[in-house]
Amino acid sequence: MFLADYHMHSRVSPDAKNSMAEMAAAAQAHGMREICFTDHVEVRTALKPTPGDLELFPEPPVAMRLIEEEFAAAQAHLPAGLAVRAGMELGEAHHDPDAAALAAKQTWADFIIGSVHNLRHEEDFYFMRYESLAQCRTLMERYLLELHELAALDCFDVMGHIGYTQRYMSRQGFPLRYTVAEHGELLQEIFRRLIDGGRGIEVNCSGLRPGDLGDCFPSLELLQLYREMGGEIVTVGSDGHSVAQAGLCIADGYERLRAAGFRYVTTFRQRRAQFVPIA
C-alpha cells in the first residue's frame, strides 16, 4: 500500500527532536513511501501578541533558511526508495498576510500547510487554561471564525488539523467536539472557501496515537461533510515530532479516508497536487 506522511517535523522546529535524515529513516521503517517535512514557520512571531511559546520560534525568514539548510544537508543521508519533499507548516497566516505571502513564494517548498495554533492576542491552545464549558465553547467558535478567515488566503495548500483545540480541552476535563449539528454552517463556509480556492484539508493522525484523543483532526463526520461538498484534495499526516511518531497512525488515517468516501490521497510537488489511488 502507498502510504505518505505529509505532516512531519524535524529539529528545525523548536518543539521537535530529530534530524530530517533520522525522521526519514524512521518513517520508511514505519511503512512510508513518501514524506514531506513541514517544519514550523510562525508568522505570528512578527506581531508577538502574547508571551507563551513565541520566544521559541524564530522569525519567518530565519525559520525558512533553517529548513532549506537542513533539507540540503539531509540529502546525502536519506534512505533509498523513499520520496522526500520539503515544505512548511505556516502558522497564523491570517495574522500577518503580507509575511505569509512572502513565505509562500519560497521556490524550494513543495507543500504548505496552513494552521491555526493560537487566536489573536491569545496563547497557543497548548498553553491555555480551560476553566468552564462556556469558555471552551466560546474559544471553539472563535477558532472556527479564524479558520474561516484563513481559508480566504491563497498562501497554503491544505488547512491543517481542523479541530486542534479538542486535544487540549479534553486533557483538562472538557471533552468537547466539533459536530455538524452544532458547527455545520460555519464548517460548510470554511470548506466552501477551500474548495472554491483549489485548496484542501489534511487528516491529522496525531489524535489517534495511543493514549491521545482517540480521533483524527478533523473527525470522520467532518471529513464526510467535506467530501459531500465536493472536496477532493486531502493529505494525511502524523504530525510527528520524533522518530517514534514518524509515520505513526498513517494507515488509520487512510482507513478514515476510505470510510468518508475518498478514493485518492493527495501528494504535492512544487505546490501542485497529485492524486494517488488509495489501495
Side-chain angles (χ1 to χ4, degrees):
M1 179 192 300
F2 175 87
L3 295 176
D5 186 345
Y6 259 64
H7 191 151
M8 186 178 297
H9 298 274
S10 76
R11 61 189 177 187
V12 175
S13 295
D15 54 355
K17 303 176 180 179
N18 298 101
S19 69
M20 286 186 181
E22 291 169 334
M23 292 293 286
Q28 187 179 58
H30 293 158
M32 299 303 107
R33 290 176 56 186
E34 184 168 329
I35 64 172
C36 185
F37 286 102
T38 53
D39 282 302
H40 288 291
V41 176
E42 298 288 321
V43 301
R44 61 195 170 116
T45 57
L47 302 178
K48 299 193 183 301
T50 62
D53 63 332
L54 288 179
E55 66 275 8
L56 297 176
F57 294 92
E59 296 291 333
V62 175
M64 290 185 289
R65 175 176 55 78
L66 292 173
I67 294 171
E68 192 172 9
E69 290 175 353
E70 175 75 10
F71 189 73
Q75 295 306 300
H77 307 286
L78 295 176
L82 179 70
V84 182
R85 311 297 183 210
M88 69 182 83
E89 182 176 12
L90 190 57
E92 293 70 55
H94 59 299
H95 291 185
D96 191 342
D98 291 338
L102 288 174
K105 291 180 179 179
Q106 302 302 304
T107 57
W108 52 261
D110 288 304
F111 173 64
I112 299 177
I113 300 173
S115 295
V116 173
H117 301 106
N118 75 293
L119 305 175
R120 282 187 178 84
H121 312 302
E122 301 283 1
E123 290 184 300
D124 190 308
F125 286 103
Y126 175 90
F127 291 101
M128 293 188 72
R129 181 184 178 90
Y130 304 103
E131 299 177 331
S132 70
L133 284 172
Q135 176 211 19
C136 289
R137 292 186 187 281
T138 297
L139 289 170
M140 290 170 72
E141 180 75 11
R142 290 176 60 193
Y143 170 75
L144 288 178
L145 288 171
E146 292 212 14
L147 289 186
H148 186 258
E149 187 178 352
L150 174 63
L153 302 182
D154 62 0
C155 55
F156 64 96
D157 302 306
V158 304
M159 182 172 282
H161 48 55
I162 297 171
Y164 176 77
T165 66
Q166 295 173 172
R167 166 185 285 133
Y168 306 111
M169 292 177 180
S170 293
R171 287 179 180 176
Q172 295 186 35
F174 300 99
L176 297 173
R177 297 291 184 269
Y178 293 91
T179 65
V180 173
E182 187 172 358
H183 309 102
E185 183 175 350
L186 192 47
L187 284 165
Q188 288 183 59
E189 291 181 13
I190 293 167
F191 291 157
R192 178 52 54 202
R193 281 188 168 184
L194 293 173
I195 293 167
D196 290 348
R199 283 161 287 122
I201 64 174
E202 79 156 338
V203 176
N204 186 295
C205 302
S206 62
L208 297 170
R209 297 170 191 157
D212 209 293
L213 192 66
D215 204 353
C216 55
F217 306 112
S219 66
L220 176 58
E221 182 188 25
L222 303 194
L223 270 177
Q224 290 171 328
L225 173 63
Y226 172 71
R227 183 71 192 96
E228 290 166 3
M229 292 180 64
E232 296 182 341
I233 296 175
V234 58
T235 60
V236 181
S238 67
D239 209 344
H241 286 70
S242 67
V243 292
Q245 297 173 350
L248 192 62
C249 299
I250 293 295
D252 296 324
Y254 273 58
E255 288 300 325
R256 279 164 170 74
L257 284 186
R258 291 189 191 91
F262 289 91
R263 294 186 299 154
Y264 299 89
V265 68
T266 313
T267 61
F268 283 82
R269 183 67 171 164
Q270 292 294 297
R271 307 284 309 282
R272 293 185 178 181
Q274 302 175 17
F275 296 92
V276 182
I278 301 173

